[in-house]
Amino acid sequence: MIEQSGATQAAARRVFHSKVDTIRPTYGFDDVSLAPGTDTVEPADVDLTQTFCGIDLAIPILASAMDAVGDARLAGELARLGGLAVLNLEGVQARYEDPDEILARIASAADDEVHDLLAEAYQRPIREDLITARLEAIHAAGAKAAVAATPGAARRFGPFCAEHGADLFLVQSQVSSARHLATDYDPLSLAEFTRYMPIPVAVGNTTNAEAAFALMEQGAAAVFVGVGPGAACTTREVLGIGVPQITAISDVAAARDAFQAETGRYVPLVADGGMRRGGELAKAVAAGADVLMIGSPLARAEEAPGRGMNWGMAAPSPTLPRGTRIKVGTTGSLERILLGPARVTDGSENLIGALRQSMAALGARTIREMQGVEMVYAPSVGTEGKSWQRAR
């Protein structure tokens, strides 16, 4: 028998802990499916209405605060259909008296020129008189005025927008945290900001339950969920950051429900990005979302200012791209995209009709009931039995 040395015996007792041993499984839209239960209801009996941050919505749809998606014209049309558009206060609408020219240049620029053009376009100063004009135009179009700015700009523009008629202010960044550390400047205090703002303040974006709970404690009127899932967003590729949307929505929904149980205040959750088809809208609601913010699907509308293009509005950096410009095409009116009738079979038109039909088939009459339906892990559900469709 060979006697082991002390070093060999110590090595035999040694335990190594690897990060990958404890990686948490996470789920995106393609990983899950919604399981039918015992009840069904008539689609006409499904009620999608709600009051969101003091604004009545007939459909749970927000248009992303992206320059290719939201302007006064689209805001008015989306309001007519029952949704709400969010205007980017740091976009071209607040920098150019006539933004059509720069929007046309961005849409038509060659791929190898567009990033330099985007950097140039957003160097022009933001003008308060243009913000006032856009707020007036949105109201004149029959819509509520929801606006968004990054935390660094919120302190300046928040009170101004509230004074000039904004109905909702969204503080939006790549990753929203309850506590931001900085050495070169004084970070925005969300608790103070929500306290002195006379209009509701929503906050985004996060994927973390603890962070979401803290944001609610600090007065957030709504919490936006999603880091990097958008079609025009490059956060996941450039920075390596993000959590698949089903897991992110579900985690933050758990924080929302815990916060309501402790305080009695219900803070709506907005799923922001990654949804292209009706089935994905349905899954987002089932995961816990109250409202759905979409960008690229609405950038395909005839009323959208992007002319068949969409581009990201990531935090500006002198050394990293702002996001990427993608071609989405112009496929029809905003009404067709949201309410149909659909002319295609891929689920990208009549998004609300698909959501309503899904809820009806699952026996859910309301958004809250839909949040209670069964969700199953089903990565094969999209391909099972579909070989003929894939062969087309």
Side-chain angles (χ1 to χ4, degrees):
M1 181 176 179
I2 300 175
E3 184 176 345
Q4 292 182 325
S5 68
T8 304
Q9 291 175 349
R13 295 192 300 269
R14 193 173 293 129
V15 178
F16 298 97
H17 297 282
S18 167
K19 182 171 286 187
V20 298
D21 292 338
T22 55
I23 284 181
R24 179 168 68 111
T26 56
Y27 306 99
F29 291 115
D30 292 338
D31 299 318
V32 301
S33 185
L34 307 180
T38 59
D39 297 338
T40 58
V41 300
E42 283 296 315
D45 293 333
V46 171
D47 182 9
L48 297 176
T49 63
Q50 63 184 288
T51 299
F52 173 74
C53 297
I55 298 172
D56 292 334
L57 298 179
I59 59 175
I61 296 295
L62 302 185
S64 295
M66 305 172 81
D67 280 348
V69 178
D71 62 2
R73 179 191 179 197
L74 185 131
E77 181 61 12
L78 183 55
R80 184 183 71 81
L81 300 175
L84 176 70
V86 183
L87 183 73
N88 176 21
L89 289 178
E90 297 172 78
V92 298
Q93 297 291 329
R95 298 176 190 268
Y96 296 83
E97 285 193 41
D98 182 8
D100 284 345
E101 180 182 353
I102 190 64
L103 288 167
R105 287 179 61 197
I106 294 172
S108 62
D111 290 341
D112 60 351
E113 300 174 354
V114 69
H115 290 299
D116 289 340
L117 177 57
L118 285 170
E120 173 191 336
Y122 293 97
Q123 286 178 355
R124 183 170 291 196
I126 298 170
R127 291 169 44 182
E128 291 184 346
D129 63 315
L130 293 181
I131 293 177
T132 301
R134 304 307 177 224
L135 293 173
E136 292 175 351
I138 291 171
H139 282 144
K144 296 292 186 180
V147 295
T150 57
R155 184 183 283 115
R156 172 187 170 190
F157 296 120
F160 179 85
C161 288
E163 181 182 348
H164 289 81
D167 300 288
L168 171 65
F169 196 94
L170 168 60
V171 181
Q172 192 168 39
S173 58
Q174 281 180 328
V175 178
S176 288
S177 60
R179 185 169 60 106
H180 180 66
L181 305 179
T183 56
D184 295 333
Y185 64 94
D186 182 24
L188 176 72
S189 168
L190 179 62
E192 293 181 6
F193 188 72
T194 58
R195 187 165 54 249
Y196 70 67
M197 281 286 285
I199 60 176
V201 176
V203 184
N205 283 23
T206 188
T207 62
N208 181 275
E210 291 186 8
F213 193 95
L215 294 172
M216 296 173 197
E217 287 183 310
Q218 294 173 14
V223 174
F224 285 61
V225 180
V227 173
C233 182
T234 57
T235 301
R236 294 182 179 179
E237 294 87 348
V238 176
L239 303 183
I241 298 173
V243 175
Q245 275 292 68
I246 290 295
T247 293
I249 295 166
S250 181
D251 286 352
V252 176
R256 173 202 59 205
D257 294 342
F259 185 78
Q260 183 189 25
E262 290 188 23
T263 68
R265 185 166 76 93
Y266 188 86
V267 180
L269 182 164
V270 181
D272 180 10
M275 294 158 285
R276 304 157 296 168
R277 302 179 178 92
E280 291 160 347
L281 271 65
K283 291 176 185 180
V285 174
D290 299 285
V291 180
L292 311 166
M293 175 174 264
I294 53 180
S296 293
L298 303 187
R300 305 174 80 195
E302 294 166 352
E303 297 89 343
R307 296 163 169 79
M309 296 287 186
N310 193 18
W311 53 91
M313 293 302 298
S317 166
T319 58
L320 293 174
R322 297 184 60 91
T324 186
R325 186 195 62 176
I326 59 172
K327 183 176 182 178
V328 296
T330 299
T331 60
S333 68
L334 185 65
E335 183 168 4
R336 180 181 293 278
I337 291 169
L338 289 176
L339 303 181
R343 298 171 299 182
V344 295
T345 60
D346 63 359
S348 62
E349 292 184 354
N350 196 8
L351 298 176
I352 295 302
L355 172 61
R356 186 182 296 276
Q357 184 67 41
S358 178
M359 292 174 62
L362 296 166
R365 292 181 175 84
T366 65
I367 294 290
R368 283 300 272 172
E369 289 183 7
M370 184 65 167
Q371 293 167 354
V373 305
E374 183 185 8
M375 180 176 286
V376 297
Y377 176 59
S380 66
V381 74
T383 57
E384 185 177 48
K386 301 297 189 293
S387 59
W388 285 0
Q389 291 185 25
R390 295 196 301 275
R392 287 188 304 181

